[in-house]
Amino acid sequence: MKQHVQPDAGINGLLADLNEHRMPWGIVTNGNTTTQHIACRAAGLDQLAPFVIVSEEAGYAKPDPRIFRDALELTGLSSPEQVMFVGDNPRADIDGAKRFGMKAAWVHRDRQYPADLQPPDHIVGHVADLRDVVGVTARGK
């Protein structure tokens, strides 16, 4: 896993800027605890993320509303409407977040969004494309 995951300067730069602007965010991921923490470390996210929720540790996985509730609580925000969930899985990430009441941004990876699911609020090709959406300029600009 470690050799397949590399830091992404665009994503990590955006996340560092979110931290600098004191905008709450975190990571919610489905999967094995050990594997997901290794991946976060390999991507350089362990040094940036205020929190990481791994489904195996939580005892439930996206799209279960409890995992979105946990994330909301850890952001310190009071309502799901204040949160934009970003993900690449239409059902688990986007539809799950929308059903919980969050806004959602879908990272499309050159795929079509399923017509039978609630549409995302934003569609991007790369997480760093959300910089304008969240209103955070790059450091030094």
Side-chain angles (χ1 to χ4, degrees):
M1 170 64 78
K2 197 162 116 177
Q3 59 270 39
H4 297 292
V5 176
Q6 299 293 317
D8 182 305
I11 293 172
N12 291 5
L14 171 60
L15 299 177
D17 291 340
L18 291 177
N19 288 342
E20 188 173 300
H21 286 84
R22 291 184 164 79
M23 294 184 82
W25 69 278
I27 296 171
V28 179
T29 182
N30 285 350
N32 171 274
T33 301
T34 302
T35 302
Q36 296 303 77
H37 284 291
I38 289 170
C40 285
R41 195 167 31 258
L45 300 174
D46 61 323
Q47 300 296 311
L48 294 168
F51 65 84
V52 177
I53 299 173
V54 180
S55 62
E56 185 178 74
E57 290 172 332
Y60 32 83
K62 300 176 289 182
D64 189 312
R66 295 176 292 179
I67 206 160
F68 296 103
R69 179 209 58 215
D70 293 352
L72 175 64
E73 289 175 5
L74 288 170
T75 65
L77 298 170
S78 59
S79 74
E81 296 83 18
Q82 296 174 287
V83 175
M84 181 170 52
F85 197 91
V86 179
D88 64 354
N89 184 302
R91 189 164 310 281
D93 296 329
I94 307 309
D95 195 57
K98 296 289 287 183
R99 288 180 185 277
F100 186 70
M102 294 176 169
K103 296 180 197 91
W106 181 52
V107 182
H108 64 74
R109 299 185 188 214
D110 295 322
R111 297 169 295 158
Q112 290 285 56
Y113 194 80
D116 64 322
L117 300 178
Q118 293 189 58
D121 298 285
H122 303 278
I123 299 174
V124 295
H126 190 273
V127 173
D129 296 340
L130 291 166
R131 188 174 285 283
D132 290 337
V133 173
V134 297
V136 175
T137 57
R139 285 175 280 184
K141 291 193 178 184

